Amino acid sequence: MTSVKFKLNGKDVAVELDPSMRLIDVLRDHFSLKGVKEGCGEGSCGACVVLMDGYSVNSCLLPLANVEGHEIVTIEGFKETKQFDVLQKAFAEVGGSQCGFCSPGMIIAAQSLLSHNPHPTEEEIRAHMSGNLCRCTGYQAIVQAVEIASKKGAGLW
Amino acid sequence: MEFYKSSTPKIDFPEKIRGEAKFTDDFELPGMLYAETVRSTIAKGKIKEIKLPELPKGYYWISAKDIPGENVVNIIFSDWPIFADKEVHYVGESIGLFVGENKEVLHKLCRQISVIYEEEKPVFDLVNSYIHKEFTKGDFSKAEKNAVKTIKETYETGYQEQAYIEPQGILCYIDEDDKFYLTGSMQCPFYIRKAVARALGIAPEKVRVKQPAVGGAFGGKEHYPSLTGSQLAVAVNKIHRPVKMCYERFEDIAYTTKRHPSVSTYEAFIGKNNEILGLRIRVKLNGGAYKGCSGVVLSRALIASCNAYVFENLDVVGDVYCTNTVPTAAFRGFGSPQTIFAMEMFIHHVAKELGVDPLQLRMKYLAKQGDITTNSGKFHDPIILPQLLDKAMEMSDYKRKVVEYAKPGSNKGIGMSLFLHGCGFTGSGESTIINGKVKLVKDENDHVHVYASSADFGQGNRTTLARIVSNTLGLPAEQCTMEAADTDHTPDSGPTAASRTIIIVGFLMEKGAKQLKKIWKSGVRQEHVEGYVGPSYIHWDEDTMQGDAYPSYSWGVNVVEVSFDPVTYQIKVDHCWSTYDVGRVVDERIAVGQADGGLLQGLGYGYLEHMGIKDGKFRNRSLTDYIIPTFEDAPPMETAFIDNPFIYGANGAKGMGELTLVGGAPAIALAIEQAIGHKVNKIPATPEYIMEVINNDKR
């Protein structure tokens, strides 16, 4: 078995696992990072998104081999950042999380958006986040949360 | 009261947003095994033989033979077997489970097993009624005799999949007290406890069910976990090791319960002054292979069949049909979205046919306090629908737009629905069947712990119920907390369903808190249990379907604006406005969240969410081909609440969870009608359907 090396939540890791394994299984089962959720297993719902080199990717579609040499950040790593704090306060303010199953993915997707476009329009938010499904909120609160975070966290992104 | 207008932090928010909340699939236990279901591949037939593959060591086959109690899932009507034994009635029916430690091996075993059937001819059409209900109001023969003409139309609604983002999952083991302990994605812990006890033939007290974090439910986790819970308990009873079964999305879409498809025919008997003398209503629901809760769904469909309108004479008949398809069951709205869609379209179409303004015709028949309901009961409480209507029209600029968009070639439309939703269980069921209880425990530090079996799967009731208690006691919100439902520690306050949590359980909380306040002694542990006593004026006869169908009603108005693309036939939802009377809002942020999410689900039902079925098999296999609204489909939404306190609700609050869904489909269908200039009698109004109606009308 070959060893796959990558950076995970700020630490260098090397795993000896089947390189064709889905990244989501490696993260949940091998590293016990249970904040990464599986909602569909085919890249439709975004509950499993993680940051790869700062961009959101569906970890259910990514084979382990593809992360060799890259940097992966999950909600467990991201929740220690200032950006997370701004985002979570904004989500709390407007009710951007109901059942909470999609929430870690939503936060990661919002981070991916704001880090590349710190002041997105409503249309840009909806377009960028459209890979993440939510069945509870009707999305409006999440759009508002990203708008609030963009304002209150000005300078962070 | 100003206090309710501000919002408190949601109790489970921090752990959820941080990804720390434990959902079913996040639990790992030492020695835990997994399970995978072997399912029928045919729609109807007898099982002649089951040829098992050779089982590797540590792998088990669990089937009907392993059930120590009754092979039936305890639902309202218990006809659904835990495991099919001699015959199968739908594609996907559970025959058994393979259990073992490696999911890949389980997958392989499921492919290797061979079940030999003697196939029988399945039934997919609505021909075999297995539940029938009927009632009349007034003197229908008079309406028939005096009518100068009749107007008749038929409406169809499709399946709808709950599409909670967390698929079904459940986990079972024998705990240190020697009890069967179950945790899983659920709405009704006491339902599961009862079902497991019946399956194992043991006392309910030997079963403990605890709710973990639940990733959405919408009715889909009301009854189905009683099936999977019973299956796992049977496996654990045999193997004596923890077993977890989490469905993949495909399995969830293909085999779990959905909203009943319907066909409703409405016939209006018109008098010589263009008045509606009476309605003849025929409702058909597709119940799938087993009845389960379909009888109650039909009741609600028929009770809601005139929606927010009052007609003097009615002749109402409804049937649920047995087909060889996946059983249909609870989904937010529970039968009423089907008939409310039909009634809203019908009154609009009748107005057009009579050449009168649809809004005026609706106003003429709008329910008022003191009016006789569809089921010959009485609307006891004040009805503020005219205020809701005025406000919604003002917010949306409805009157101007409805004229402007009527101009040919505008390709825009605006639609409005008015609707009601009965709160709580049908009739006097809350006092006669459910008898909900809640418990308040004040500890030595004067912290109040709130116990009820109401599961929080996103609606925020752990926050709102605790809020009702803290508000009544005059305590800071953080001094009251509600624990997750656990059948060993929470009293049975009834299922988390039927928009009953705030109006019924919340009312109990308020009453209980008032009692606790009376006996309050600082620094001492105190406990108070409160049981439900409903309004004495509510009388209901289930057999004749006559009387007061619900303790109270919530009301609403949705206005939806759409654009139509005449090239692709696609619909874009531009904006929505809603007004609601939910008595009095407990927590505004949570209430708006319900309003937004419910409406979007209702809109999806109306124009987007299509399930195809052929030979008893769903064509949809995933969230890629079962389309629920995304960020880009969802419109901006504006919501206003108007207070109309209910005397038997917590600080005046009524139900709202389902109310917010039921008006979405007719509002968008009416908007689409205006945009395309053709009648919409079927939902979802997909581009394919729109193309069909436009082309058919041209011919």
Side-chain angles (χ1 to χ4, degrees):
Chain A
M1 195 99 32
T2 44
S3 166
V4 179
K5 297 189 188 74
F6 60 105
K7 197 173 231 183
L8 178 60
N9 292 333
K11 286 188 189 131
D12 290 318
V13 295
V15 286
E16 302 226 340
L17 291 166
D18 178 352
S20 73
M21 261 179 91
R22 305 184 307 166
L23 180 62
I24 186 175
D25 297 327
V26 177
L27 296 173
R28 282 184 59 88
D29 300 342
H30 190 77
F31 289 102
S32 269
L33 298 169
K34 304 285 192 190
V36 183
K37 304 293 179 198
E38 178 161 353
C40 70
E42 55 164 25
S44 287
C45 79
C48 70
V49 298
V50 297
L51 294 171
M52 181 156 119
D53 304 333
Y55 286 92
S56 59
V57 292
N58 285 302
S59 65
C60 72
L61 294 181
L62 208 60
L64 174 62
N66 288 33
V67 306
E68 165 78 33
H70 292 279
E71 180 171 7
I72 298 294
V73 176
T74 69
I75 189 72
E76 286 83 358
F78 184 62
K79 73 184 178 189
E80 308 302 333
T81 64
K82 280 183 193 157
Q83 287 89 340
F84 170 80
D85 197 48
V86 171
L87 276 167
Q88 68 99 7
K89 281 189 180 126
F91 271 68
E93 190 179 331
V94 290
S97 168
Q98 287 190 27
C99 81
F101 197 77
C102 75
S103 299
M106 288 291 175
I107 291 282
I108 294 289
Q111 162 65 14
S112 171
L113 167 65
L114 293 176
S115 62
H116 298 94
N117 179 3
H119 300 289
T121 62
E122 182 186 336
E123 209 173 303
E124 287 169 338
I125 295 170
R126 288 188 184 270
H128 178 91
M129 307 275 291
S130 66
N132 290 64
L133 295 177
C134 168
R135 190 62 156 167
C136 299
T137 62
Y139 302 105
Q140 175 144 302
I142 301 176
V143 172
Q144 289 165 346
V146 176
E147 285 171 343
I148 291 169
S150 159
K151 276 196 201 94
K152 293 201 173 161
L156 274 179
W157 285 286
Chain B
M1 197 181 286
E2 201 48 43
F3 195 86
Y4 273 144
K5 291 293 174 193
S6 65
S7 295
T8 39
K10 213 158 161 264
I11 198 163
D12 51 355
F13 176 82
E15 57 174 23
K16 283 183 168 170
I17 205 78
R18 297 171 67 83
E20 292 162 0
K22 275 189 143 185
F23 293 84
T24 307
D25 202 20
D26 301 335
F27 290 90
E28 303 287 351
L29 295 169
M32 188 173 79
L33 304 176
Y34 299 94
E36 188 170 335
T37 311
V38 170
R39 299 176 180 280
S40 166
T41 53
I42 65 163
K44 186 171 168 36
K46 292 194 171 57
I47 298 174
K48 300 308 287 179
E49 195 191 349
I50 296 175
K51 289 183 187 164
L52 286 180
E54 200 180 320
L55 288 176
K57 195 172 174 293
Y59 286 79
Y60 305 85
W61 166 244
I62 308 294
S63 68
K65 293 180 183 60
D66 300 303
I67 301 170
E70 277 180 82
N71 184 12
V72 74
V73 187
N74 193 77
I75 306 180
I76 296 168
F77 190 92
S78 299
D79 60 343
W80 191 347
I82 297 167
F83 293 116
D85 189 11
K86 295 182 175 66
E87 47 196 42
V88 290
H89 294 275
Y90 67 96
V91 174
E93 185 164 2
S94 314
I95 294 171
L97 302 178
F98 280 119
V99 179
E101 66 180 4
N102 186 318
K103 289 183 198 169
E104 299 285 322
V105 177
L106 296 175
H107 250 6
K108 209 166 109 189
L109 291 170
C110 285
R111 283 197 303 270
Q112 287 170 340
I113 190 171
S114 141
V115 182
I116 316 291
Y117 303 97
E118 185 183 306
E119 283 199 53
E120 292 166 14
K121 195 174 163 21
V123 175
F124 300 124
D125 297 330
L126 304 185
V127 288
N128 295 337
S129 165
Y130 59 4
I131 304 170
H132 175 86
K133 290 179 195 284
E134 56 178 75
F135 59 86
T136 57
K137 177 185 173 186
D139 182 355
F140 197 76
S141 61
K142 225 169 74 187
E144 273 181 302
K145 209 174 73 196
N146 295 334
V148 293
K149 67 169 172 176
T150 65
I151 299 169
K152 187 174 174 182
E153 286 199 5
T154 296
Y155 303 94
E156 285 179 52
T157 65
Y159 281 101
Q160 190 181 18
E161 159 64 35
Q162 290 84 358
Y164 28 69
I165 307 298
E166 180 205 23
Q168 301 264 358
I170 199 150
L171 163 65
C172 176
Y173 59 91
I174 296 169
D175 70 8
E176 58 278 9
D177 300 324
D178 219 20
K179 289 186 184 191
F180 283 82
Y181 181 102
L182 292 102
T183 192
S185 203
M186 63 179 71
Q187 285 179 239
C188 310
F190 279 93
Y191 276 5
I192 300 175
R193 186 174 85 150
K194 224 182 210 175
V196 167
R198 190 167 172 184
L200 298 182
I202 58 176
E205 293 72 31
K206 295 293 287 175
V207 182
R208 178 176 175 187
V209 183
K210 190 174 175 189
Q211 185 221 342
V214 173
F218 314 109
K221 294 167 182 174
E222 184 171 336
H223 297 294
Y224 200 83
S226 295
L227 168 71
T228 49
S230 299
Q231 293 176 337
L232 280 204
V234 169
V236 170
N237 182 57
K238 181 173 175 179
I239 305 167
H240 287 267
R241 278 174 68 174
V243 183
K244 183 166 82 174
M245 179 164 70
C246 292
Y247 283 1
E248 289 186 3
R249 180 59 63 179
F250 160 67
E251 203 171 9
D252 201 304
I253 288 188
Y255 308 125
T256 68
T257 56
K258 310 181 196 308
R259 191 186 301 289
H260 294 68
S262 75
V263 181
S264 301
T265 301
Y266 278 58
E267 188 173 10
F269 289 75
I270 309 294
K272 58 178 186 296
N273 300 317
N274 263 358
E275 74 275 34
I276 300 174
L277 299 173
L279 291 188
R280 175 175 283 147
I281 298 171
R282 298 289 179 265
V283 177
K284 296 176 172 186
L285 301 179
N286 183 345
Y290 297 108
K291 289 181 195 173
C293 68
S294 289
V296 197
V297 174
L298 179 65
S299 284
R300 203 178 259 278
L302 298 182
I303 294 165
S305 63
C306 294
N307 190 17
Y309 310 106
V310 173
F311 303 101
E312 217 176 302
N313 304 299
L314 295 170
D315 166 19
V316 181
V317 177
D319 287 272
V320 186
Y321 292 84
C322 180
T323 60
N324 292 104
T325 53
V326 170
T328 42
F331 191 156
R332 196 178 198 170
F334 208 73
S336 69
Q338 291 90 326
T339 48
I340 286 179
F341 165 71
M343 185 68 237
E344 282 299 274
M345 303 313 284
F346 188 58
I347 196 157
H348 200 88
H349 294 173
V350 167
K352 295 257 166 167
E353 180 113 9
L354 297 177
V356 298
D357 179 55
L359 184 58
Q360 273 173 14
L361 190 69
R362 287 159 147 190
M363 294 300 287
K364 187 172 167 184
Y365 293 100
L366 220 51
K368 296 180 297 296
Q369 184 177 20
D371 278 352
I372 305 300
T373 65
T374 299
N375 298 80
S376 306
K378 198 168 153 189
F379 284 112
H380 294 280
D381 305 312
I383 295 171
I384 59 163
L385 205 43
Q387 287 101 298
L388 295 178
L389 198 60
D390 285 346
K391 179 79 183 163
M393 288 198 292
E394 179 203 314
M395 285 161 72
S396 60
D397 197 9
Y398 178 83
K399 283 190 169 163
R400 179 185 67 79
K401 288 175 180 170
V402 79
V403 175
E404 192 184 316
Y405 298 165
K407 291 173 191 155
S410 81
N411 288 324
K412 281 185 72 78
I414 191 161
M416 179 162 64
S417 61
L418 325 178
F419 47 91
L420 52 60
H421 194 78
C423 310
F425 263 58
T426 314
S428 43
E430 291 291 348
S431 358
T432 54
I433 302 168
I434 302 204
N435 262 314
K437 286 180 188 58
V438 302
K439 187 168 81 176
L440 301 176
V441 177
K442 178 176 85 68
D443 65 21
E444 290 81 357
N445 303 317
D446 290 350
H447 189 99
V448 181
H449 302 266
V450 176
Y451 295 93
S453 63
S454 308
D456 192 333
F457 31 89
Q459 348 77 303
N461 54 23
R462 275 178 70 197
T463 308
T464 44
L465 292 175
R467 179 79 188 275
I468 287 165
V469 174
S470 65
N471 183 58
T472 310
L473 289 168
L475 298 174
E478 59 274 13
Q479 210 171 322
C480 293
T481 40
M482 182 172 160
E483 314 299 331
D486 176 345
T487 57
D488 264 20
H489 297 289
T490 45
D492 187 352
S493 15
T496 321
S499 300
R500 62 181 295 282
T501 300
I502 293 300
I503 193 172
I504 305 290
V505 184
F507 180 57
L508 284 178
M509 291 292 180
E510 190 184 50
K511 267 178 81 182
K514 280 180 182 163
Q515 271 314 108
L516 185 61
K517 199 173 181 176
K518 274 189 199 157
I519 57 165
W520 186 279
K521 272 193 201 131
S522 187
V524 184
R525 187 185 186 278
Q526 289 174 295
E527 188 177 315
H528 177 73
V529 174
E530 188 70 39
Y532 188 74
V533 183
S536 58
Y537 54 78
I538 297 296
H539 300 288
W540 173 252
D541 185 329
E542 183 63 38
D543 295 328
T544 59
M545 292 196 72
Q546 296 293 291
D548 290 311
Y550 301 103
S552 188
Y553 298 87
S554 289
W555 307 81
V557 177
N558 291 151
V559 181
V560 176
E561 188 176 327
V562 303
S563 303
F564 167 60
D565 184 330
V567 178
T568 63
Y569 295 92
Q570 277 174 307
I571 294 295
K572 185 178 178 301
V573 191
D574 297 318
H575 211 112
C576 295
W577 300 265
S578 305
T579 53
Y580 297 106
D581 157 18
V582 294
R584 192 183 270 144
V585 166
V586 177
D587 184 302
E588 202 171 4
R589 181 167 52 210
I590 285 177
V592 169
Q594 286 292 298
D596 290 353
L599 176 56
L600 190 60
Q601 226 167 22
L603 295 176
Y605 182 48
Y607 87 115
L608 205 58
E609 300 181 27
H610 179 256
M611 287 207 95
I613 189 162
K614 191 168 188 282
D615 300 333
K617 277 185 210 164
F618 290 114
R619 286 174 154 161
N620 316 62
R621 298 176 65 88
S622 66
L623 291 176
T624 307
D625 52 21
Y626 181 73
I627 307 297
I628 63 170
T630 69
F631 270 98
E632 288 188 288
D633 300 308
M637 295 179 260
E638 290 172 48
T639 303
F641 297 99
I642 300 180
D643 278 2
N644 182 20
F646 173 52
I647 189 162
Y648 284 89
N651 194 38
K654 300 187 282 195
M656 78 168 295
E658 296 173 288
L659 176 77
T660 59
L661 183 143
V662 300
I668 194 168
L670 288 167
I672 293 172
E673 272 196 3
Q674 191 180 37
I676 67 173
H678 297 265
K679 268 189 198 171
V680 170
N681 284 10
K682 186 174 152 184
I683 50 169
T686 57
E688 291 83 354
Y689 172 73
I690 292 171
M691 192 170 93
E692 198 182 298
V693 296
I694 291 176
N695 290 345
N696 282 352
D697 286 357
K698 271 186 202 152
R699 263 178 224 142

